[in-house]
Amino acid sequence: TNNVHPFSTLSESDQFSQEFQLIGSAFDDRMSYVAGLFYFQEETENRRSVSLLGPFSPAISNLFFLSASSTELRADNEAIAAFAQVEWEFNDNWRTTLGVRYTDEKRELERDRFDPDPATLDANGGFAAPVGGGLYAVNNATFEYNPNFGFLPLDTVNDDISNDDFSPMASIAYIFDYGDLIDTGSMYLTWSRGFLSGGLSEAPSGALEEFDPEEVENIELGIKVDLLDRRLRVNAALFYSDYSDRQLTTVVINPQTNAPAGATINAEETTIQGFELETTWLPGANWLVNFNMSINDGDIETFDDIQLTIGDPSSAPDAGCTRADLSVLLVDSCPNDRSGENLPRLPEQTYFLAAQYSLQTGLGTFIPRVQASLKKDIEYCFDAASCASGRWLEDEQFDLSARVTWISRDSRWVGAIYGTNLTEEEYFVGGTALIESSGVGGLAYNEPRIYGAEIEYSF
């Protein structure tokens, strides 16, 4: 668990960014273009955290347990990019767009680690002798735990990583003529590539470890139209995304602390395909209705991970596995093929419906609004065992909320009363799905029904 400790500090971050753009047109405005340069620099320091588990006294006399560590991170990130995009109008209906972006990034990370200072654990000045595994030998007759104990430096490591990438895109669009059904709109087909930077992971080893950039190739077929005298707007799209080296999180054994730790890992291939719909309807004066939906199918095609299991002390670990001694038990880390799993935290179905009315009065404008959302089949599992159990698969999340907003005639005052989860639904929204390393897991549930009020004044 993470607790506030005097040794922890708030991070300090400085950022600078600058972008230059050249925008213009040519060939009697049939061609429009934009080109530019982008620079970003960020420095973060003094980011020191403290992690505590305990304290408590074991059943054995004169022993005291405290698992504590502290980490300070300093980061320096720099990125430069050049981009260009050209749009060409063949005629009044057809146009195409070509673009490319080149990005070059460098990330530097320095990490300091600290261990508890045993000489400061006893508030009465006694010495707590470390015996390993978070246990300390103390004099029970005089020992008094000091929650503001100090830390001693353990080690310092630093590393850097550089990534660069070309991200092209191409699109062709057809612009609809004004007609009886369609007021305005377009249909398009787009192909694009993108990437998410790689980086450095603190775990699982004492040295910083690199993880690769994530790349995606996306194809999208869509339509955007205004109908019914522009009172109905419909945006719809079919898409397919193919990811290479998608960045996921795994659980490993940190050989320095012999404790489970999170680490970023690359899944060789994952895919997402689906359909998205967004609609805005003005059925009458002062009315606004929104309906959105999405259908997603996300799969992990190729994913080589590590599975943690409790080791048998009477036999050696299986071939290809490594073993860690956590004092109270043995943990084996073995290769695990997790291909075929669903992507975590991606709802297979999402629906959203909202309606609001704007009422003008002598006291100002009142806007009552009601909205409902429904999400189905969301996977919150983490390690392979929790995914295989099916316990972290939430079938349905439903929320009904309402809000009445008031805006004064001079717009200086804005107030609202609201309620969320009005039907008092109960569902989980995450948790600790780490049953491989701990043997147990936890579920985090949604907030209960909440009522509230807000008031705001603008000077």
Side-chain angles (χ1 to χ4, degrees), residues 2 12 24 35 42 47 54 74 121 152 164 171 178 181 185 190 207 218 220 227 239-240 253 261 280 298 309 436:
N2 292 321
E12 300 174 2
E42 176 188 37
R47 182 178 162 185
R74 291 176 293 277
L121 289 175
L152 297 174
D164 65 290
S171 179
Y178 177 82
L181 178 62
T190 298
N218 185 73
E220 183 173 323
L227 312 169
F239 67 91
Y240 176 81
I253 295 297
T280 301
T309 58
E436 288 178 7

Side-chain angles (χ1 to χ4, degrees), residues 56 73 90 128 148-149 155 185 207 265 271 306 399 429:
F56 60 85
L73 299 176
F90 295 101
N148 299 324
F149 62 89
D155 60 22
I265 188 174
T271 60
I306 296 295
D399 178 78
V429 294

Side-chain angles (χ1 to χ4, degrees), residues 61-372:
S61 179
N62 295 325
L63 285 181
F64 164 78
F65 177 86
L66 174 69
S67 179
S69 62
S70 177
T71 301
E72 181 173 345
L73 299 176
R74 291 176 293 277
D76 188 353
N77 302 321
E78 187 178 47
I80 186 169
F83 57 91
Q85 181 171 298
V86 177
E87 181 179 271
W88 179 267
E89 296 184 9
F90 295 101
N91 51 46
D92 291 341
N93 298 104
W94 288 96
R95 64 191 59 181
T96 188
T97 304
L98 300 174
V100 65
R101 180 185 182 95
Y102 173 75
T103 305
D104 190 306
E105 298 183 341
K106 182 177 181 180
R107 297 172 178 267
E108 298 181 10
L109 179 64
E110 184 174 61
R111 184 199 64 199
D112 295 335
R113 293 193 303 177
F114 305 85
D115 274 348
D117 181 1
T120 62
L121 289 175
D122 189 348
N124 295 321
F127 185 78
V131 296
L135 293 173
Y136 296 85
V138 298
N139 186 337
N140 280 349
T142 61
F143 179 78
E144 180 182 354
Y145 170 64
N146 173 24
N148 299 324
F149 62 89
F151 282 87
L152 297 174
L154 176 62
D155 60 22
T156 298
V157 294
N158 60 77
D159 201 353
D160 62 78
I161 185 173
S162 298
N163 299 129
D164 65 290
D165 186 81
F166 277 98
S167 302
M169 67 83 65
S171 179
I172 187 168
Y174 178 79
I175 311 302
F176 293 108
D177 292 324
Y178 177 82
D180 295 333
L181 178 62
I182 297 178
D183 301 317
T184 184
S186 64
M187 178 179 289
Y188 63 90
L189 176 64
T190 298
W191 169 87
S192 62
R193 285 186 54 206
F195 97 114
L196 178 65
S197 304
L200 298 165
S201 177
E202 296 180 70
S205 66
L208 299 174
E209 295 188 352
E210 297 183 9
F211 55 89
D212 295 330
E214 174 182 307
E215 297 183 351
V216 61
E217 184 172 348
N218 185 73
I219 299 175
E220 183 173 323
L221 174 64
I223 185 172
K224 299 180 179 182
V225 292
D226 288 346
L227 312 169
L228 306 178
D229 294 328
R230 308 193 73 168
R231 290 188 293 111
L232 175 62
R233 173 165 294 176
V234 178
N235 299 333
L238 291 167
F239 67 91
Y240 176 81
S241 301
D242 189 350
Y243 291 83
S244 300
D245 293 323
R246 188 180 181 98
Q247 295 168 8
L248 299 176
T249 306
T250 186
V251 180
V252 295
I253 295 297
N254 188 320
Q256 300 297 318
T257 62
N258 275 342
T264 301
I265 188 174
N266 294 105
E268 184 176 341
E269 183 180 5
T270 64
T271 60
I272 302 177
Q273 54 191 337
F275 169 75
E276 294 180 344
L277 174 68
E278 297 179 355
T279 64
T280 301
W281 182 34
L282 306 176
N286 303 327
W287 279 99
L288 174 65
V289 177
N290 295 105
F291 174 72
N292 304 333
M293 66 172 290
S294 65
I295 306 295
N296 299 296
D297 180 18
D299 294 304
I300 299 177
E301 306 290 347
T302 308
F303 184 21
D304 295 323
D305 193 14
I306 296 295
Q307 183 169 9
L308 303 183
T309 58
I310 298 176
D312 184 356
S314 64
S315 62
D318 294 336
C321 301
T322 59
R323 174 165 291 178
D325 186 352
L326 306 190
S327 299
V328 293
L329 78 162
L330 302 174
V331 175
D332 292 341
S333 302
C334 302
N336 184 24
D337 183 2
R338 299 182 63 182
S339 305
E341 289 185 5
N342 296 325
L343 280 174
R345 292 175 172 79
L346 177 68
E348 292 188 6
Q349 301 178 52
T350 300
Y351 304 94
F352 175 82
L353 177 63
Q356 70 178 47
Y357 182 80
S358 180
L359 178 63
Q360 308 289 336
T361 73
L363 299 176
T365 302
F366 291 86
I367 307 175
R369 178 182 175 88
V370 178
Q371 66 181 46

